[in-house]
Every structure is written in C-alpha cells, then in structure tokens.
C-alpha cells in the first residue's frame, strides 16, 4: 500500500499543475479583466469593458486615460509581466500557500475565505450528517422491505423531493413559513440574529439552529434520493447472493445476517464517496441557497469573484480545493482496503 500511496501523491503534482495551467490560460482570454474594470470605473462607466486583457483591448476600453496611468494600473495588478512569468510566480507562491490579496476586497484570500467559512460549514456539515444518518438506515429498511407499501411510499416521497430544485423549495419555505403570505415561524435571513452577541449561550445555540432550519431543508431534500437508492440497491444485491442463503440455512437470524455479513459488503460502495463528502462538507457553497436566505458564504464569494474577475480569489481557492479533492480520492481508495481486506493495492501496482 505504501508504494501505491507514494505513486498517487506524485501523480497529484502534474494533475494539480494541469488544472491550474488550463484555468490560468482561460482567465487570460476572458473579456473585462480587473484592469479594464478599474479603468472603466475611473472613467465613470458601468460596464465591464469590451476587450480582453491584451494590450489593444485595453486601449479600446480605456479611451481618455493617460497611457502612463494605465501602465501603473497594469503594474498594480501584476499584468506588466509576461504571461508565463506570472503563471510560474503564482504557482511558486501557491506552493507555500501564499494566495495573495483580493483585487476588490482589500484583504488576503485566506482571510476572505476564512470569513465565509461559518456559513459554508454550517450548511455543509449539517447537510452531511442529516443525509448520511437518514439515508443509510432508510435505504436498509427499504431493501429489507423491497416491494412493500413502505418501499413504494418512501420511494415516491424522496423522488418528489429530488425533482424539486433546492432554490424553488427554499422560496416556497420562505413564503409559507418565513413570514411571507402565511406563517411567520422561521427567520428570513442571516446565520444568526442581530442581537446574537447579547444573548446567553443557550439562547445563542437555539437562535443559530432556528436560523439554519429552512436553509438545511432546502439543501438536503434533493440529496436524499441518490444516497437512499444507492444504499437500497447495494443491500438488495448482497441479500440475493449465495452466502446469504447459506447463512439462513445454518439458522442465523435475519438481523445477524444483515448486520454481520451483508452490511460489511454492501457498505463498500458508500465508502467511496464518504471522504469526499466529509471534506466537502466543510467547504461547500450553494449560490442560490445563500442568496435566497441572505447567507454570505463561499458560494456567493465564488460567484462574485468570477463576475469581478478577482483572479487571486478564483485561482487561489481553486488551487486549495483541487488539493482537497485529490486527497479525498486517495482517502476513498485507502478506505476500500480498510473496509474490504480482499482488496490489495499490490495487484494494482503489478
């Protein structure tokens, strides 16, 4: 296993380099870069400019400004250097986790991301816990009662929930339960109330949980169907195998067969997505959910950064999240071996 892990770690380097190279190249040809946007603001225009980050495009979008001043703006954003030099300088800084400063927020990328994490962690962790703690037991129950009325009714309900977009459900919840046209039960916006700092600790916990009810419901409903049906199908496949019939012939109870033999084999497909889901739970971001419930998280930050061409935020967060994604895939493979001793990486290496 050690040699396999080393190989995977080494393969992460070209993968990460390739992802950053492609993304960096794309950003160089996107119209309305940060230089054009600042020049447009200085000229009193409200558009994003009509040219790329090339020199000729800059002059079309900067008519009326002194050329020397434009060069100062280019130097301010680092666009006075050749493209390849900017890329390798960026990668050098990123390897030491120096992500630079945002062009438009006047703070470092790290501080900016950390300030948005409470919202993303709240949405992600609660969604992760609710989905896994609900869908796995529900999927097992559906597999044991396959074809029954319980199975049909629950399948219908989760598929209906899956078919409803999260933002539509969020708006519906606000209208009916958030003081819209019907009941005023849950708060409309924010992660906590405005007077949260003055509340006692137990009221702070209650206030926080009360604010999270509607966003969490809107976030998790669509995830129930995939995880539940995956669990059900995995268990049904194992229940129909020969070793289950043999265990029954030996007189083992159904619970013993289900949880001592079937569970360990059926849970393997679910393990593959567990590390990625767990890591992603801390950094998830949903633009529409955050916008509907006025939550300032990573989803909204990513959207605004792309619109404003805030390249340090876009590329810095992409670098960090790509590393997390590659590590999560490696942890998923390692989980295979820990759960199923029949899997050996030695055979893969050969």
């Amino acid at each position: 296993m050690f040699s396999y892990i080393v190989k995977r770690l080494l393969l992460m380097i070209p993968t990460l380099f390739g992802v950053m190279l492609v993304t960096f190249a794309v950003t160089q040809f996107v119209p309305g870069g940060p230089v054009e946007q600042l020049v447009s603001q200085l000229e009193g225009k409200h558009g994003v400019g009509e040219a790329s980050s090339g020199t000729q495009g800059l002059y079309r979008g900067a008519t009326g400004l002194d050329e020397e001043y434009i060069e100062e703006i280019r130097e301010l954003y680092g666009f006075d250097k050749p493209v390849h030099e900017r890329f390798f300088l960026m990668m050098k800084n990123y390897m030491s986790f120096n992500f630079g400063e945002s062009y438009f927020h006047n703070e470092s990328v790290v501080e900016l991301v950390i300030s948005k994490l409470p919202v993303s962690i709240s949405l992600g962790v609660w969604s992760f816990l609710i989905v896994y703690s609900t869908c796995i037991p529900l999927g097992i129950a559906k597999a044991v009662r396959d074809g029954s009325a319980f199975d049909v009714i629950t399948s219908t309900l989760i598929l209906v929930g899956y078919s409803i977009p999260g933002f539509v459900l969020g708006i519906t919840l606000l209208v009916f339960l958030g003081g819209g046209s019907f009941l005023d039960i849950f708060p409309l916006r924010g992660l906590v109330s405005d007077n949260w700092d003055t509340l006692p600790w137990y009221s702070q916990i209650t206030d926080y949980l009360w604010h999270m009810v509607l966003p969490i419901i809107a976030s998790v409903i669509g995830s129930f169907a995939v995880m539940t049906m995956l669990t059900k199908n995995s268990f049904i496949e194992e229940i129909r195998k020969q070793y289950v019939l043999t265990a029954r012939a030996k007189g083992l109870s159904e619970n013993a067969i289900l949880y001592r033999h079937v569970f360990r084999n059926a849970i393997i497909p679910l393990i593959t997505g567990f590390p990625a889901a767990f890591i992603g739970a801390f950094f998830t971001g949903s633009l529409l959910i955050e916008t509907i419930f006025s939550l300032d998280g990573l989803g909204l930050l990513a959207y605004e950064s792309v619109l404003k061409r805030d390249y340090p935020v876009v590329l810095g967060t992409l670098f960090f999240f790509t590393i997390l994604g590659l590590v999560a895939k490696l942890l998923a493979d390692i989980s295979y071996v820990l759960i199923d001793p029949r899997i050996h990486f030695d055979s893969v290496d050969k």
Side-chain angles (χ1 to χ4, degrees), residues 86-133:
R86 296 205 309 269
F87 175 74
F88 285 107
L89 179 61
M90 179 192 74
M91 292 301 297
K92 178 183 177 181
N93 292 331
Y94 283 6
M95 294 306 293
S96 60
F97 293 96
N98 177 17
F99 299 118
E101 292 192 0
S102 168
Y103 290 157
F104 301 98
H105 291 87
N106 296 321
E107 58 181 317
S108 69
V109 174
V110 174
E111 293 176 350
L112 188 60
V113 171
I114 291 176
S115 67
K116 310 296 183 182
L117 278 181
V119 171
S120 299
I121 291 177
S122 296
L123 286 173
V125 172
W126 283 115
S127 299
F128 171 83
L129 293 175
I130 292 173
V131 168
Y132 269 83
S133 61

Side-chain angles (χ1 to χ4, degrees), residues 43-96:
E43 290 180 341
K45 299 178 181 178
H46 300 288
V48 295
E50 56 186 47
S52 66
S53 56
T55 304
Q56 296 299 325
L58 177 63
Y59 287 125
R60 286 203 304 272
T63 304
L65 285 182
D66 184 30
E67 181 178 341
E68 295 182 358
Y69 190 68
I70 295 175
E71 290 300 321
E72 291 180 5
I73 297 176
R74 290 174 60 86
E75 184 177 356
L76 173 66
Y77 289 124
F79 286 94
D80 58 322
K81 301 181 180 64
V83 175
H84 66 279
E85 183 177 342
R86 296 205 309 269
F87 175 74
F88 285 107
L89 179 61
M90 179 192 74
M91 292 301 297
K92 178 183 177 181
N93 292 331
Y94 283 6
M95 294 306 293
S96 60

Side-chain angles (χ1 to χ4, degrees), residues 36-38 40-41 44-50:
E36 285 93 337
Q37 293 205 29
L38 181 57
S40 182
Q41 291 177 9
K45 299 178 181 178
H46 300 288
V48 295
E50 56 186 47

